[in-house]
Amino acid sequence: MGNTSSMLTQYDIEEVQDHCNHTFSQQEIVSLYQRFCQLDRSGGGFISADEFLSVPEFAVNPLSQRLLKMLYGLNFKEFVAFLSAFSSRATLQQKIEFIFKVYDSDCNGKVAFSDMLDVLRDLTGQFISEQQREQVLTHVLEESGYTKDSLLSISDFMKTLWNSDLKMDVEVPVD
Amino acid sequence: MSSPGKLNSSSSELDLDRPNIEDYLPSGASIQQEPHGKLRLRDLLDISPTLTEAAGAIIDDSFTRCFKSNPPEPWNWNVYLFPLWCFGVVVRYFILFPARVLVLTIGWIIFLSSFIPVHFLLKGHDKLRKNLERCLVELICSFFVASWTGVVKYHGPRPSMRPKQVFVANHTSMIDFIILEQMTAFAVIMQKHPGWVGLLQSTILESVGCIWFNRSEAKDREIVTKKLRDHVLGVDNNPLLIFPEGTCVNNHYTVMFKKGAFELGCSVCPVAIKYNKIFVDAFWNSKKQSFTMHLLQLMTSWAVVCDVWYLEPQNIRPGESPIEFAERVRDIISTRAGLKKVPWDGYLKYSRPSPKHRERKQQSFAESMLRRLEEK
């Protein structure tokens, strides 16, 4: 396990639980702490990009670079808050908010055509030309009543994704 | 790959020999309903499957699990157990340990005083010299095993000295080699190590016919493959032992076997090794401790208990590729030793996965998207 010798006290667990709005149980937080310490090999209190990329399953994910920017420098409390959207106790609203944050890389509350194009490029790679990507994106945007120049807000995302079958749950293994 | 005009084909060709990773991933991870129906905005915005996979990997992944070592907990959790445990510590560190060091020292003295004369004086009588050296190496390995009070149960027919056969085993620690060597003087292929281990490798192990490789050198593979082939064909050579995982794993899982041992055109004899963690965890986590510390840990525990199974020799079946053959043998060994299989290459401990995996995901997403665009 990790090199940090500090154990989580009951106070720590409750503080973390508060910070993530009780989306994780106390046992899950203890498991997440063990995992955090396991990944944080250098013991710096946060997991570096290299340490994340040492997990092959994460390194092969098309959105890994985007997520690494969001995970940069997070301490344990913030790490749990980051993962809270994936808990089965999280609301659909919280999950959609997380997806919005992934798109909104400059955190200005608006998602532009270029943001959506960036994510689509990560997901499709070299298998579709840039031109085709723009065409497809423009096409589906116009079908939903937006244009290429529209700036989508969080409420637009809520409206679009509310009825979709969003499945974004990850189980935290508890010993 | 033939596909309707719009799709660009992959520049990195799909390696048809690779076993299908999707067969190994836990169900629910990648077995999602193929999305269908006309492509809408929400289908492009909904990146939840990819995000879920990423979060799943962050929270728990099958690769890191292979190298996790749980330090054995002291069992002194009750008032009456504590003095008993303390007594045990005293016995282990101050009675057993010195006794073991003594046994090992005696063993080395006997070994060196026989090996050095035999090696230099019998230069002309090769056959006799080889036989004696073989027995001596088996002897010193037995001394090593005794120094950790190794309780090893061997099952199955003992390896015989025949050409055109190679032995493969799962790998947990360098002591695997010592445990197998005390029964049969194998020739082994190993990474050259620094320090006193390296010294042992270049002197004593040379005599049983070892082959060195260097993980970091790319060209090395071809040179080593040739050396392996030559060795296997030689009648007088000791049977060759290979650890196809290429790295130490924690004896609960097996990582993918490298195909090198399986394309030599000879029969492969699987050997399964399972350690019982009751007294000590034999997994050598090379990132956490040096081999010396690992040995000291073993020598201050009560015993090292393990089972070794020599399994039925396997031959490559017609139409089977070396990778499929390797996977089949890995299956045999994992089943026998009760280990779970994971689809990862052990060398990922030292390097990043190839972009091929990500490209495959991107390709399937792109194909699905374009297909749905066509639908009305």
Side-chain angles (χ1 to χ4, degrees), chain B residues 255-297:
Chain B
V255 294
M256 275 168 56
F257 278 10
K258 305 218 170 310
K259 62 179 171 145
F262 301 89
E263 47 186 13
L264 298 172
C266 58
S267 49
V268 170
C269 311
V271 180
I273 308 177
K274 178 72 177 168
Y275 290 91
N276 188 330
K277 284 215 237 184
I278 184 171
F279 295 120
V280 74
D281 185 357
F283 168 50
W284 178 38
N285 196 338
S286 51
K287 287 196 171 172
K288 279 204 183 155
Q289 47 179 199
S290 68
F291 190 58
T292 318
M293 285 310 300
H294 176 61
L295 274 191
L296 287 177
Q297 188 192 351

Side-chain angles (χ1 to χ4, degrees), chain B residues 87-160:
Chain B
F87 178 66
V89 171
V90 166
V91 168
R92 278 189 289 133
Y93 280 81
F94 297 108
I95 302 177
L96 279 184
F97 181 63
R100 287 169 173 171
V101 172
L102 188 64
V103 163
L104 201 55
T105 316
I106 294 175
W108 274 108
I109 295 175
I110 298 178
F111 175 75
L112 287 171
S113 58
S114 322
F115 189 83
I116 294 175
V118 165
H119 191 74
F120 290 110
L121 297 179
L122 288 180
K123 266 272 151 71
H125 312 267
D126 269 348
K127 205 159 160 73
L128 180 63
R129 179 166 68 96
K130 276 205 165 192
N131 276 331
L132 284 178
E133 285 179 350
R134 214 172 275 148
C135 292
L136 285 175
V137 171
E138 286 176 21
L139 182 74
I140 187 65
C141 286
S142 303
F143 269 101
F144 259 111
V145 174
S147 74
W148 335 300
T149 316
V151 179
V152 188
K153 186 150 183 220
Y154 297 93
H155 311 259
R158 304 295 175 260
S160 45

Side-chain angles (χ1 to χ4, degrees), chain B residues 292-308:
Chain B
T292 318
M293 285 310 300
H294 176 61
L295 274 191
L296 287 177
Q297 188 192 351
L298 294 179
M299 285 173 79
T300 52
S301 349
W302 291 109
V304 172
V305 183
C306 74
D307 283 282
V308 175

